[in-house]
Amino acid sequence: MTRRFELYGSLRIALYLLVASGALAVSWVEGRPVWLALVVLAALCARWTVDRGTMRPMHPNVGSVLALLLVLYFCYAALGSVQAGKSREAVLQLARLFCGVQVILFFSPFRPSMTWIYFGCNLLVLLLSGLLLPGPSLLARMLAFYFCLAQALLLHGLLRSEGAVHAARQQQLGRHAGESQPRQWLSGALLARALLLSLSGAVVCLLCGLLLFFVWPRFADNDPRGRAVDSDQRPDGERDTPTEGLAEALAGLPRTVGFSPELSLENLGPLRPDASQALKVVADGPLRQLASPSGYLYLRGLAYAVYSDNRWQPVTKRGLRLRSPERQFIELPGDAPHFLVPAGRPKQLALHLEPLSPMGRVLFASAPVRRVRPPERADDRLMVDAEGMLQAGVDLEPGDPWCSYSVHSYTPVWPEDLGPQAQAMLPDSARRYVEWTSRRAPEIMAMAAELTRDLDNDAAKALAIRDHLRSSGRYRYTRFLNTLQHGSARVADFLFAEDPKQRAGHCGYFATAMVLLARAAGLPARVAIGFASPTSDEGSELVVLNAQAHAWAELYFAQAGWVVFEATPAGEPETDLSAAPMPGDEGTLARDAPALEAESNAVAVEPASETGAEPEEAEGWQYLTAFDGGAQRRLFSRLGTRAAPWSLPALVLALLGGLLWWLWKARKPREATLGRHADLPARSRNVVRFYGRLLQILASHGFRRAPGETPRELADRVLREGGSAFRAVRLVTTGFERVRYGDQTLSREELAELKSALRRVPTPE
């Protein structure tokens, strides 16, 4: 016997799953399955009590009071989070509020129209989770939401259509529309098909969205004729499209200095220092032991080795996952290139760091690092990316004591410590540290050759390049990037501009120029971003400001590891916040220090756009967030196509339009099938088809069913007017009534008899 499910109960289960998808999004953001477990337990309780009739639904007034108390509690918690500067926690409180209100609805009187309330609440929860955790997991959360929503809307439509059919049938029989409404059932086969259809629709929607994302033209990188124009081929100052001019205008807006996981030279807006606190550092000894000769503590957060289209990009290579046993320190491999123990530097200093501003998952440390104790909030998990950078397992909340962490660092090797015998070498034979491209590569190579002429050791070559950028007086530091007129090749224009006023930039320009010139001279180099903060002689505590976010170059030397090369000269005295001396200093730092108020990535305002992905996932997600016109052209080139940018999206839109047209054409037959006959067993559906064929035969004889005429009334009229030749009509009609209105299943013998009777009905010549 075919298994059946009650339509009302199936809709309730679908709504429970829809709320669970929202709770899943909240739990994913929190990193704890608390809300998901709460919603699942509440759904099971409501299913076994209210849905089964063992407990009456909650009185509406009681539900309203509980909902009001819930709103007051979570609004109070959200306001407290805002006042404490925890905006992320405030948004999370709103998402929890929507989940809690839906739990109350589980035990309230249910009406099918409440489906739209569940839909709206969970849509808001999904949007809020996307704001808090816009990582690759957002695709999984969207897929779960779309699947549950499609299933709930389908069952809601079936329930409403069955109710309309019952009301029409009661009206035909002259009864009140609300009398003796039977329980509506759903066959197991139809439910399985509905589940498959919902899942397929959710997957198709996501795939179509991703496909359009990759093939839709990037207007700012195409000319009016739809032809892709490479940025290196445009004349300086030429604008191809109005949207590109808008992008350039927006790029000229002021930007706030602060740490960001991106390093781009594209934006030319002025920089405004941010004097808010970023990190609190407490050491077990004087911080000056880890400071540079000029007295600055370099806290490295991220490093990049691939430079393309005026942007530093992460390496798409899987890193390491480590875990601390019982809150102990994790020993990093001292023989690994990124954690190389410097020769003759056995002294270590413990640093305890606490984030005071949103930093995502980045863990800052003075390199080289020997051991790390991850934040307890991250369940003692430590991620190490391909560049040896450290990240926690979860986002770190500012001011949360459970998000503090500790590192043990060796005394760094500085350029002045390198002797004539120091030899630059490739770590792990990674060619990415010496590879580079530029439209003006010959000029850069010529400059590197000129600067390193007659120098016979690598340390001297690196110092010559650094001193040329920092101390020659040819280049100057500036925060007012809107005064520059650099073309598409930012670094080359910065190095070779004829106008001295155009040979200026922030720390990102100087660090990038240092790396490219070093690579042109055959020296392995990369860019690092983090903070550089002045220290006092004996101080062991330090509060790092966001204005001290910085970028610098690092070169790799044998027996020394990565060595910091500071190429940025001093900034304008009247605006240089970070160059100001610390209390108790005599001002020497202000004269010798680099301009550290420049932001680490040139222009980014937000801390971390991707804070929720694992390190290896973040690399792929960053490829999506940085997918611009240049990346799209490179993708087309790898696919071996030179098609116009509009061809692929036009094809996709045409396919989607054809699919929608087909669904629209098939809408009425499908609705009729799902609403009236699809829930019947196989033999019963055959009876319905027999009766449909009978109606066609009778219509060919002129016997058409009148509006409001029942099947029995039609059969009696045919026998009166057509005579004994139509006696088989009564038999087929009786079988149809037993199946459709009597909820009976005919035997095989009865089905064969009906089929034989249908053959005996006369057909026109």
Side-chain angles (χ1 to χ4, degrees), residues 7 154-167 184 671 674-676:
L7 194 54
L154 177 62
L155 295 173
H156 174 261
L158 289 176
L159 185 63
R160 294 293 298 270
S161 63
E162 284 290 343
V165 169
H166 172 75
Q184 295 137 343
E671 288 178 353
L674 292 176
R676 300 188 179 185

Side-chain angles (χ1 to χ4, degrees), residues 183-319:
R183 300 176 71 179
Q184 295 137 343
W185 296 90
L186 189 68
S187 68
L190 178 59
L191 183 61
R193 288 198 297 271
L195 289 172
L196 181 60
L197 177 64
S198 303
L199 181 60
S200 302
V203 173
V204 168
C205 288
L206 287 181
L207 291 180
C208 290
L210 286 175
L211 184 60
L212 286 174
F213 172 80
F214 282 108
V215 303
W216 197 265
R218 265 56 181 175
F219 294 100
D221 296 277
N222 296 276
D223 66 5
R225 299 173 295 280
R227 176 177 57 85
V229 178
D230 197 77
S231 59
D232 290 342
Q233 299 175 355
R234 293 183 186 154
D236 291 346
E238 180 180 335
R239 295 179 180 176
D240 290 333
T241 63
T243 52
E244 182 174 0
L246 177 60
E248 293 181 6
L250 293 176
L253 294 177
R255 306 291 178 124
T256 303
V257 172
F259 177 79
S260 172
E262 297 180 356
L263 180 54
S264 173
L265 307 182
E266 286 291 341
N267 298 288
L268 294 178
L271 304 180
R272 295 184 301 192
D274 180 5
S276 62
Q277 298 178 349
L279 287 170
K280 181 180 180 181
V281 183
V282 179
D284 289 348
L287 285 170
R288 195 61 182 261
Q289 297 179 15
L290 302 179
S292 66
S294 58
Y296 275 79
L297 176 66
Y298 284 77
L299 297 174
R300 187 176 62 193
L302 294 172
Y304 296 110
V306 180
Y307 181 72
S308 177
D309 295 333
N310 300 319
R311 184 190 303 271
W312 287 95
Q313 302 174 356
V315 179
T316 56
K317 183 180 178 182
R318 190 179 181 89

Side-chain angles (χ1 to χ4, degrees), residues 77 152 181 254 446-447 474 624:
Q181 181 172 352
M447 173 178 282
R474 180 176 175 84
L624 293 179

Side-chain angles (χ1 to χ4, degrees), residues 522-747:
L523 307 176
R526 70 180 184 183
V527 160
I529 58 178
F531 293 95
S533 182
T535 62
S536 59
D537 292 337
E538 300 299 330
S540 60
E541 295 187 10
L542 179 66
V543 175
V544 180
L545 306 180
N546 280 302
Q548 294 165 349
H550 191 48
W552 60 88
E554 293 185 344
L555 277 66
Y556 197 87
F557 286 84
Q559 299 183 350
W562 290 108
V563 179
V564 174
F565 278 79
E566 181 56 77
T568 306
E572 296 93 336
E574 69 277 9
T575 60
D576 192 352
L577 292 183
S578 62
M582 296 287 289
D585 289 344
E586 297 300 325
T588 57
L589 294 179
R591 292 191 299 270
D592 300 334
L596 300 175
E597 76 277 17
E599 63 172 339
S600 62
N601 65 344
V603 292
V605 179
E606 298 81 11
S609 59
E610 171 52 49
T611 59
E614 300 293 345
E616 63 274 10
E617 293 176 344
E619 295 169 354
W621 190 252
Q622 190 167 358
Y623 174 76
L624 293 179
T625 58
F627 191 80
D628 54 8
Q632 187 182 61
R633 292 193 295 273
R634 290 191 293 272
L635 176 62
F636 288 165
S637 177
R638 284 195 295 268
L639 295 176
T641 177
R642 291 180 175 270
W646 281 107
S647 58
L648 288 177
L651 177 61
V652 174
L653 291 177
L655 292 176
L656 290 177
L659 177 62
L660 292 176
W661 177 83
W662 179 79
L663 292 175
W664 176 261
K665 296 291 290 184
R667 177 176 60 90
K668 290 186 177 180
R670 281 288 182 185
E671 288 178 353
T673 301
L674 292 176
R676 300 188 179 185
H677 310 315
D679 58 340
L680 298 176
R683 288 200 297 273
S684 299
R685 289 198 297 269
N686 288 332
V687 175
V688 174
R689 283 195 290 268
F690 291 163
Y691 187 73
R693 175 58 181 159
L694 175 64
L695 292 179
Q696 293 177 356
I697 296 175
L698 295 179
S700 64
H701 287 284
F703 298 108
R704 299 185 180 276
R705 186 175 175 183
E709 189 176 24
T710 65
R712 179 64 58 88
E713 293 172 347
L714 174 62
D716 292 341
R717 181 164 62 89
V718 170
L719 287 177
R720 285 196 310 268
E721 300 178 6
S724 60
F726 291 93
R727 283 182 298 182
V729 173
R730 176 67 61 84
L731 181 60
V732 178
T733 301
T734 302
F736 173 74
E737 289 177 334
R738 290 175 57 192
V739 169
R740 191 69 192 97
Y741 304 118
D743 200 18
Q744 301 180 18
T745 302
L746 303 185
S747 64

Side-chain angles (χ1 to χ4, degrees), residues 17-91:
L17 293 176
L18 181 60
V19 180
S21 70
L24 174 65
V26 174
S27 298
W28 213 315
V29 174
E30 290 181 331
R32 296 171 294 179
V34 176
W35 276 93
L36 179 59
L38 175 64
V39 169
V40 170
L41 290 176
L44 291 175
C45 182
R47 179 64 181 167
W48 286 93
T49 55
V50 177
D51 293 352
R52 290 181 175 268
T54 59
M55 186 181 78
R56 297 184 61 182
M58 187 187 307
H59 193 277
N61 293 337
V62 176
S64 300
V65 172
L66 291 178
L68 179 60
L69 293 176
L70 203 64
V71 169
L72 292 177
Y73 170 77
F74 280 105
C75 288
Y76 176 77
L79 290 176
S81 300
V82 171
Q83 293 176 355
K86 299 180 179 180
S87 57
R88 185 176 184 275
E89 181 66 21
V91 176

